[in-house]
Amino acid sequence: MDEIYLKQVRALLDDNVIGSIANVASFLYETLHDVNWVGYYFHRDDKLILGPFMGKIACSKLALDKGVCAKAFRDKSVTYVRDVHNFDGHIACDADSRSELVLPLYNKEKVIGVLDIDAPITDRFNQDDIDMLSEVAMIISAYLSGYDQAAS
Ligand code: SME
């Protein structure tokens, strides 16, 4: 099952970088149950700036010292918050969000941004989900590593 899913993700990636990663966000948004936001933030000028996404309007820029995305970026680690109401400094772009999974994205060794997935229910993601979405983030990272200009 996961292999087919990951193959579908890979099939969305072509030489149109923004369009390709936007399509992956759309694919995740449409195929994962109980998610209300899927998108990217990329590191630029000491901030995380909004990339392609699916869901409600979101914060255009995030500071690096606050919120779940910034923590995942700083820690360079997959960060899962089971209940965002219990995360000090959570940035609520959508008041419906209750749990959040943030996966770092890399250009080779360097963290360049994050893939952010929000859910309107607490504890939406189990370990299998996290493992599978970590694979998706690795696929996107490998893809972006081939496009230095878009992913510096
Ligand atoms: N909740 C995130 C901000 C981004 S939105 O969820 C789209 C955070 O705390 O970093």
Side-chain angles (χ1 to χ4, degrees), residues 18-31:
I18 294 173
S20 294
I21 65 170
N23 273 338
V24 173
S26 175
F27 180 70
L28 297 175
Y29 185 84
E30 295 293 338
T31 56

Side-chain angles (χ1 to χ4, degrees), residues 7-67:
K7 198 174 167 185
Q8 286 177 301
V9 169
R10 282 190 202 94
L12 295 172
L13 303 172
D14 62 23
D15 59 358
N16 170 11
V17 178
I18 294 173
S20 294
I21 65 170
N23 273 338
V24 173
S26 175
F27 180 70
L28 297 175
Y29 185 84
E30 295 293 338
T31 56
L32 298 172
H33 69 84
D34 290 311
V35 299
N36 60 325
W37 201 90
V38 179
Y40 307 89
Y41 281 92
F42 289 105
H43 185 213
R44 292 276 188 283
D45 302 330
D46 291 329
K47 288 190 169 39
L48 292 174
I49 62 160
L50 183 62
F53 68 94
M54 291 287 286
K56 286 185 183 167
I57 291 169
C59 310
S60 175
K61 297 171 187 171
L62 301 172
L64 290 182
D65 61 353
K66 191 178 176 217

Side-chain angles (χ1 to χ4, degrees), residues 104-152:
L105 298 173
Y106 296 84
N107 179 359
K108 304 187 178 86
E109 312 296 297
K110 186 178 160 200
V111 183
I112 54 164
V114 297
L115 170 61
D116 181 20
I117 306 176
D118 290 357
I121 54 175
T122 54
D123 208 2
R124 156 65 182 82
F125 303 96
N126 63 29
Q127 193 56 49
D128 285 347
D129 296 325
I130 294 170
D131 291 346
M132 196 273 291
L133 291 164
S134 297
E135 293 271 352
V136 170
M138 279 191 261
I139 291 168
I140 298 167
S141 294
Y143 168 74
L144 291 176
S145 296
Y147 289 94
D148 280 342
Q149 220 175 351
S152 56

Side-chain angles (χ1 to χ4, degrees), residues 89-115:
H90 171 254
I91 299 163
C93 294
D94 181 344
D96 288 341
S97 296
R98 291 302 303 274
S99 52
E100 179 162 6
L101 178 65
V102 185
L103 308 120
L105 298 173
Y106 296 84
N107 179 359
K108 304 187 178 86
E109 312 296 297
K110 186 178 160 200
V111 183
I112 54 164
V114 297
L115 170 61

